[in-house]
Amino acid sequence: MIIKNIESKIKLASFISLFSFITSILISALVSYYAFKQISLSRQSVYILDHNNTPYQANQTDITVNRALEYKSHVNLFHSLFFTLAPDEKYIEYQMQKAMYLIDESGALQYNNLREKGFFNSILSSSAVLTVQTDSIHVDAQQKYFRYYGKQTIDRRSTTVIRSIITEGFLHDLNIRTENNGHGVLITRWKTLENKDLSHVQKTNI
């Protein structure tokens, strides 16, 4: 009888030990999951201090939410830099340098072609001011493809020319954003589909 009581107590103690062990594992797993979830949530929020050192919460959003808008902004910025020029050699170099941070070698290829054809020299000699107006930008975020529609105004001393500009290319996401490429995107395989005169107005000299 005593032996049976001892065996029963041993079985009970073993059961309690096993139950406690399993329970501790479950509790540890739940605590670890909760801690991981809290860390993930905390990483989505940052706090910004104003001039009075009052904290304001700023929520972090998924990069894919606004990516299509960032693509459009990137394409618009590049075309604004590349097609907005003035009769100033240093200004042209500045614009081209800034634009080349946003595009691969296809941009440098078009720049070199224009330079070899004397396009930039003609701007200097005719004192032309070139500005561009974006009409629309079509972006396929899934295919990373874009098509740009715009108009370029070439204002010379004697004439004003308006050209239509249509270009296309692809977009490559970079792993880092820099001061010179804030969107972390690189335009690739860029080419001009259309660049033709829409109007040619002769100025009247008084």
Side-chain angles (χ1 to χ4, degrees), residues 81-119:
L81 290 169
F82 195 88
F83 291 106
T84 300
L85 303 170
D88 184 315
E89 188 173 358
K90 290 185 178 180
Y91 181 77
I92 293 174
E93 290 179 0
Y94 172 82
Q95 290 288 91
M96 293 299 111
Q97 286 177 359
K98 296 291 288 185
M100 292 306 111
Y101 285 113
L102 311 179
I103 195 169
D104 69 353
E105 64 274 7
S106 60
L109 180 63
Q110 289 211 36
Y111 167 65
N112 289 331
N113 287 338
L114 290 173
R115 186 173 59 180
E116 290 174 3
K117 292 178 180 178
F119 175 73

Side-chain angles (χ1 to χ4, degrees), residues 119-156:
F119 175 73
F120 300 109
N121 287 332
S122 69
I123 293 175
L124 298 175
S125 62
S126 63
S127 298
V129 176
L130 284 67
T131 55
V132 67
Q133 175 185 337
T134 300
D135 291 333
S136 64
I137 301 173
H138 168 73
V139 171
D140 186 335
Q142 296 296 325
Q143 299 296 324
K144 304 290 182 65
Y145 169 84
F146 75 88
R147 181 168 287 191
Y148 174 91
Y149 300 88
K151 292 183 181 68
Q152 184 182 46
T153 300
I154 304 174
D155 192 8
R156 299 187 179 95

